[in-house]
């Protein structure tokens, strides 16, 4: 028995399925938005609130041990030796300060530890801030793994930027402010784009060019906010050195993620103003093996 309808008779074949509508925007991903000063500061707070646990953990893992080491080194460097001598028939306590060489060695050790760990922290927290900004989950372990691999590059860029800014401040302050603003996104350029040394500094300079006052406003207002919050928290410790150290560390832990987020958002805003930057492009740059 024939299972098919005879030619020229029977039901007509079903019509083809309708063509799906084209994606909105022609299939192209929307670029990252440009943000004004208030939007950058507000977005940084919102992203901070949504990722507080991870961002605070990244900072605390460095700041807490570093604070303890700094306290112990300070006790050694600034401590005194006491001894009792018999003068006549009376015992007198004699206080002797540490030698200059012990003080210098302790200060050198503390500075070296602080510089290295700060570079690692800066790399890790900025990496985590970029992930939070584009809506990806912040991975504390991966942030530190990346930070340990790149801390020497971050340290080099930070030292170069610091030297240029210091020289500028020596030259009647105003050049120092100009250098500080133009080089303010050097480290994010290193972290996201893999640029090293002078390349990262040149990239920052080119991004800021044409938007100096916008960047100036963001940097100054963010610095005032973080200084006020950190100072108020540190002041709770009062005059007690140990308690002051604890609250100083707490203040640093709280304000560091916000400062990192503002820096990252400023960097992304500058790229959005000059380039067709999308979240896909940004993720590809972060995942590139450099």
């Amino acid at each position: 028995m024939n299972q098919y309808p005879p030619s020229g008779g029977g039901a007509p074949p079903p019509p083809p399925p309708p063509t799906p509508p084209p994606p909105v925007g022609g299939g192209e991903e929307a670029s990252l938005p440009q943000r004004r000063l208030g939007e950058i500061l507000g977005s940084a707070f919102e992203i901070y609130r949504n990722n507080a646990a991870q961002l605070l953990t990244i900072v605390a893992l460095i700041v807490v041990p570093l604070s303890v080491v700094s306290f112990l080194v300070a006790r050694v460097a600034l401590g005194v030796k006491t001894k009792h001598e018999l003068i006549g028939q009376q015992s007198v306590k004699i206080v002797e300060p540490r030698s200059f060489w012990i003080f210098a060695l302790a200060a050198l050790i503390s500075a070296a530890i602080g510089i290295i760990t700060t570079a690692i922290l800066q790399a890790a927290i900025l990496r985590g801030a970029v992930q939070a900004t584009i809506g990806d989950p912040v991975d504390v372990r991966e942030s530190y793994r990346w930070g340990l691999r790149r801390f020497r590059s971050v340290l080099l860029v930070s030292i170069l930027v610091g030297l240029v800014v210091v020289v500028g401040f020596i030259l009647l302050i105003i050049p120092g402010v100009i250098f500080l603003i133009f080089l303010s996104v050097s480290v994010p350029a290193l972290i996201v784009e893999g640029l090293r040394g002078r390349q990262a500094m040149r990239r920052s300079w080119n991004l800021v060019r044409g938007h100096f006052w916008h960047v100036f406003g963001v940097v100054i207002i963010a610095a005032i906010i973080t200084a006020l919050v950190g100072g108020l928290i540190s002041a709770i410790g009062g005059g007690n050195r140990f308690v002051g150290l604890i609250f100083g560390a707490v203040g640093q832990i709280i304000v560091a993620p916000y400062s990192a987020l503002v820096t990252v958002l400023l960097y992304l805003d500058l790229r959005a103003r000059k380039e067709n930057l999308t979240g896909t492009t940004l993720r590809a740059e972060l995942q590139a093996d450099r």
Side-chain angles (χ1 to χ4, degrees), residues 8-27:
T19 304
V24 177

Side-chain angles (χ1 to χ4, degrees), residues 246-285:
I246 294 175
F247 281 97
V250 171
Q252 187 177 353
I253 291 170
I254 289 175
V255 302
Y258 183 78
S259 178
L261 286 167
V262 170
T263 304
V264 167
L265 286 169
L266 177 60
Y267 162 76
L268 297 179
D269 172 67
L270 292 172
R271 289 190 64 181
R273 292 169 184 266
K274 296 196 171 188
E275 305 167 1
N276 185 27
L277 180 63
T278 65
T280 300
T281 302
L282 194 55
R283 289 184 181 92
E285 290 176 345

Side-chain angles (χ1 to χ4, degrees), residues 131-171:
Q131 291 176 319
T133 300
I134 59 178
D136 289 349
V138 179
D139 188 328
V140 176
R141 181 178 299 178
E142 181 57 32
S143 294
Y144 266 107
R145 186 180 294 116
W146 194 95
L148 287 168
R149 290 201 308 265
R150 298 292 187 269
F151 89 91
R152 285 177 293 183
S153 299
V154 173
L155 179 61
L156 175 61
V157 171
S158 299
I159 290 174
L160 290 176
V161 171
L163 289 175
V164 171
V165 171
V166 167
V167 171
F169 274 108
I170 292 174
L171 300 174

Side-chain angles (χ1 to χ4, degrees), residues 45-285:
F45 179 77
E46 185 69 21
I47 296 169
Y48 187 171
R49 187 180 64 180
N50 294 336
N51 300 272
Q54 294 84 359
L55 294 173
L56 290 171
T57 300
I58 290 175
V59 181
L61 287 174
I62 284 290
V63 170
V64 172
L66 181 60
S67 299
V68 173
V69 170
S70 299
F71 177 76
L72 295 176
V73 170
R75 289 200 64 178
V76 172
L78 302 177
V80 295
K81 296 185 297 183
T82 60
K83 63 179 181 179
H84 290 80
E85 290 187 0
L86 190 63
I87 299 178
Q89 296 182 345
Q90 186 175 5
S91 178
V92 178
K93 183 172 72 172
I94 299 177
V95 178
E96 296 181 355
R98 301 287 186 184
S99 71
F100 169 78
W101 296 111
I102 293 178
F103 174 81
L105 179 61
L108 182 62
I109 292 173
S110 180
I113 294 173
I115 290 172
I116 293 173
T117 53
T118 300
I120 297 172
L121 172 59
Q122 189 176 17
I125 189 60
L126 283 173
R127 175 80 173 187
V130 173
Q131 291 176 319
T133 300
I134 59 178
D136 289 349
V138 179
D139 188 328
V140 176
R141 181 178 299 178
E142 181 57 32
S143 294
Y144 266 107
R145 186 180 294 116
W146 194 95
L148 287 168
R149 290 201 308 265
R150 298 292 187 269
F151 89 91
R152 285 177 293 183
S153 299
V154 173
L155 179 61
L156 175 61
V157 171
S158 299
I159 290 174
L160 290 176
V161 171
L163 289 175
V164 171
V165 171
V166 167
V167 171
F169 274 108
I170 292 174
L171 300 174
L172 301 179
I173 298 178
I174 293 179
V177 175
I178 294 174
F179 291 149
L180 176 65
I181 299 304
F182 271 103
L183 300 176
S184 58
V185 293
S186 298
V187 177
L190 183 158
I191 289 173
V192 176
E193 301 177 67
L195 302 175
R196 310 291 177 89
R198 289 180 296 176
Q199 289 181 327
M201 297 167 67
R202 190 178 302 115
R203 173 65 161 158
S204 177
W205 192 283
N206 290 333
L207 287 173
V208 174
R209 181 182 296 159
H211 303 285
F212 177 86
W213 292 111
H214 170 63
V215 177
F216 178 85
V218 173
V219 171
I220 296 302
I221 298 301
I224 292 173
I225 292 173
T226 54
L228 286 175
V229 174
L232 288 173
I233 296 174
S234 299
I236 298 175
N240 185 287
R241 183 188 299 178
F242 181 72
V243 177
L245 177 71
I246 294 175
F247 281 97
V250 171
Q252 187 177 353
I253 291 170
I254 289 175
V255 302
Y258 183 78
S259 178
L261 286 167
V262 170
T263 304
V264 167
L265 286 169
L266 177 60
Y267 162 76
L268 297 179
D269 172 67
L270 292 172
R271 289 190 64 181
R273 292 169 184 266
K274 296 196 171 188
E275 305 167 1
N276 185 27
L277 180 63
T278 65
T280 300
T281 302
L282 194 55
R283 289 184 181 92
E285 290 176 345

